[in-house]
Amino acid sequence: MAYQEVTTTGYGTRVGNSFKAIGSGILLFCAGTALLWWNEGRAVKTEKMLDEAGSAYVEMPNPDKKDASLEGELVCGTAFATTEDSLADAEFGIGAKAIAIKRTVEYYQWTEQSSEKKEDKLGGKEVTTTTYTYSKAWVSRPVESAQFKDPAYQNKNMVLTTIENAEQYAENVTFGAYKLSESLIHSISSREALDLSIAEDLLKQFDKNTQVAYERFYGAKQQTPVQQPAETAAVSDSAKAVNDSINNAIANAQNKKDLEYVHQAGNVLYFGRVPGSPEVGDVRVTFEKVVPAKVTVMAVVEGDSFKPFKAKNGKRFQTLVMGKKTGDEIIEAEQEANNMWTWALRIIGIMMVIGGLKGIFGFIETILKVVPFLAGIFGWGVGIVCTVVGVVWSLIVIALAWLFYRPILGITLLVLAAFLIWVFAFKGKDKLKELAQNARNKNAAPAAPQPQAAPAAPAAEQPAE
């Protein structure tokens, strides 16, 4: 059952808040402008750096043998990344010879979702109806249910145990005859399940502690629930796949008979009574390892290791990708990523500029809220003006930034911005008036039909003299 909360904001409070929003609107406008300028400079510098790297790199024919002639060169080579380091998770007493080991923790909790519906009232008041709904889901950290709006769901969350996410990386990872730097090691993504071999004494201790936590919240042990699929309303496809794998593993594995609250299967350690039917408070810990794999490195050779390539403009570049790739493929992929980031940040910057302008001029619409119909029409017009001005201003900022680096493209963008200004200033007035009139006609109540007057009787003919 959804829980609703209705709040009313008075006209005076709304006007005061709208004036306060002017300051935040100015800050948002300035931040969006700065982001647009910085992003264009970043994009150009990155593109030039990649062009320089693409023309400077040399292929590394045999990484298994050191080549003194490659010292200081930007190279692209493929080899097997491996290590002899042994890593251990001391908290669980497990480990492996691996490039990295990782521990991921999830908690089964009640979660709160909310949605708002706002309505303007005659006189300037605003009524906000907030609807809260609740569902169970696996989340990455415990949820504080004491802050839930619905009293029926407050303090319904608990956890059987609290465990932190953790990861460890090997210090010595070889790439043929060379060693990988720390940043390159962290780029290796060949993950596999880490089989568990937790000591029996430690499992018993976990089981005892979990039982105490369970009975403190749920009371004395009840009948073991029948295993059934976990709730799927708030479970993603990936989470459902993990649930299925856990259930299958436990079905095929014999848990120690004297352990009722801790279950070990494959690379998952489950804290709870029945993994297939989770209860609020259950915890699951997934262990993975990063194993040796074939990788391609593009970086500058420095002795028996690597360092980033430094372009003439000061930008640095090095990368490690999985599998075998050519230098041209790597450069092309990096250029595509640069373009994607450039456009993403452009859109964010433009939206910030438009949002800032709406925040600055929004007080005018708020003042007119005493008549919602009139405020709606005016707000619609302000929105259009802020959008047009925001886009034009953003184009000017982008053009000026590019003008510094690429004059031809910068001039083209400035011409486009000038054209939009001309269209809006000289051609858009009549269109705006027409749209506003249409909006008024749609919202105006239809006039009551007037009775038709009876036709007048024909005048009597006068006899001719």
Side-chain angles (χ1 to χ4, degrees):
M1 187 70 179
Y3 177 82
Q4 289 188 334
E5 186 178 62
V6 179
T7 58
T8 301
T9 306
Y11 177 70
T13 302
R14 297 182 70 186
V15 173
N17 292 337
S18 67
F19 278 104
K20 292 178 182 178
I22 295 176
S24 58
I26 293 174
L27 290 177
L28 187 61
F29 176 83
C30 294
T33 301
L35 176 62
L36 289 171
W37 181 272
W38 171 84
N39 179 51
E40 298 308 319
R42 179 208 59 81
V44 174
K45 290 180 180 179
T46 301
E47 182 179 348
K48 288 185 175 182
M49 177 270 292
L50 291 173
D51 290 341
E52 186 178 339
S55 60
Y57 84 90
V58 296
E59 293 290 345
M60 195 179 208
N62 185 16
D64 294 327
K65 183 179 180 181
K66 291 182 182 178
D67 187 346
S69 65
L70 296 178
E71 180 69 23
E73 294 285 347
L74 174 63
V75 299
C76 179
T78 302
F80 206 69
T82 186
T83 184
E84 295 297 322
D85 289 2
S86 293
L87 305 176
D89 189 327
E91 187 171 348
F92 292 90
I94 59 175
K97 183 185 291 185
I99 294 173
I101 59 173
K102 303 188 177 187
R103 178 209 307 166
T104 305
V105 187
E106 297 171 283
Y107 303 88
Y108 198 65
Q109 301 278 272
W110 280 105
T111 60
E112 180 182 70
Q113 301 82 37
S114 64
S115 60
E116 284 188 350
K117 180 181 179 181
K118 296 185 177 182
E119 184 179 2
D120 292 323
K121 297 294 185 180
L122 192 64
K125 291 183 179 180
E126 180 184 61
V127 177
T128 302
T129 302
T130 306
T131 303
Y132 298 91
T133 56
Y134 300 85
S135 61
K136 299 175 185 177
W138 287 102
V139 294
S140 60
R141 61 183 66 251
V143 177
E144 183 55 67
S145 59
Q147 305 300 322
F148 286 170
K149 293 294 184 179
D150 189 347
Y153 287 90
Q154 290 177 357
N155 300 312
K156 291 193 69 173
N157 275 341
M158 57 84 67
V159 291
L160 296 177
T161 185
T162 303
I163 303 170
E164 298 293 333
N165 292 333
E167 58 184 25
Q168 295 182 45
Y169 285 88
E171 295 182 359
N172 303 295
V173 179
T174 58
F175 177 81
Y178 297 84
K179 293 172 58 178
L180 293 179
S181 62
E182 181 179 355
S183 59
L184 293 177
I185 292 173
H186 286 212
S187 299
I188 302 174
S189 58
S190 50
R191 292 190 180 189
E192 289 185 2
L194 174 60
D195 292 332
L196 304 183
S197 55
I198 302 175
E200 184 175 349
D201 291 343
L202 186 57
L203 286 175
K204 289 182 178 180
Q205 185 62 45
F206 286 153
D207 186 75
K208 181 180 179 180
N209 295 340
T210 305
Q211 180 180 0
V212 171
Y214 183 93
E215 294 182 353
R216 183 186 301 121
F217 186 79
Y218 285 105
K221 182 176 69 174
Q222 305 169 5
Q223 182 179 358
T224 302
V226 179
Q227 288 199 23
Q228 56 186 359
E231 296 185 28
T232 57
V235 179
S236 64
D237 292 340
S238 60
K240 185 177 183 302
V242 173
N243 282 333
D244 293 342
S245 66
I246 293 173
N247 297 339
N248 294 335
I250 291 179
N252 297 324
Q254 291 294 328
N255 194 46
K256 298 183 181 300
K257 294 182 179 180
D258 53 346
L259 300 181
E260 299 184 45
Y261 296 87
V262 175
H263 306 267
Q264 175 182 317
N267 67 323
V268 176
L269 187 63
Y270 193 98
F271 295 81
R273 296 183 66 197
V274 181
S277 181
E279 299 176 271
V280 171
D282 285 8
V283 180
R284 65 186 182 194
V285 188
T286 305
F287 297 87
E288 296 177 303
K289 61 182 177 180
V290 178
V291 298
K294 180 180 290 187
V295 300
T296 300
V297 170
M298 196 169 191
V300 174
V301 176
E302 184 179 45
D304 63 348
S305 188
F306 300 95
K307 68 177 182 179
F309 168 76
K310 185 176 181 180
K312 295 178 181 178
N313 60 13
K315 294 283 288 185
R316 296 177 181 271
F317 170 71
Q318 68 173 354
T319 188
L320 180 148
V321 297
M322 303 304 298
K324 181 177 177 59
K325 300 289 183 180
T326 66
D328 290 345
E329 289 175 333
I330 292 176
I331 294 297
E332 182 179 356
E334 291 290 334
Q335 289 173 336
E336 291 177 356
N338 182 44
N339 290 333
M340 180 188 69
W341 275 108
T342 300
W343 278 105
L345 292 175
R346 280 174 181 165
I347 293 173
I348 293 173
I350 293 173
M351 296 304 295
M352 290 173 65
V353 168
I354 295 174
L357 290 173
K358 289 182 178 180
I360 294 172
F361 297 102
F363 74 93
I364 304 177
E365 178 186 357
T366 304
I367 291 175
L368 298 176
K369 287 292 185 180
V370 288
V371 183
F373 166 71
L374 181 61
I377 295 177
F378 191 84
W380 176 80
V382 169
I384 291 180
V385 172
C386 289
T387 300
V388 173
V389 173
V391 171
V392 170
W393 174 261
S394 300
L395 288 176
I396 292 173
V397 172
I398 293 172
L400 291 175
W402 276 90
L403 190 61
F404 184 78
Y405 300 100
R406 303 279 179 85
I408 296 178
L409 183 56
I411 293 173
T412 302
L413 289 175
L414 285 175
V415 170
L416 177 59
F419 174 75
L420 290 176
I421 293 174
W422 178 79
V423 169
F424 178 70
F426 297 100
K427 297 295 183 180
K429 291 181 180 179
D430 294 338
K431 186 63 176 177
L432 286 176
K433 291 179 180 178
E434 178 184 347
L435 292 174
Q437 183 62 42
N438 291 338
R440 284 194 294 269
N441 292 338
K442 288 181 179 179
N443 287 281
Q450 298 294 327
Q452 294 183 354
E461 294 184 0
Q462 297 294 331
E465 291 184 358

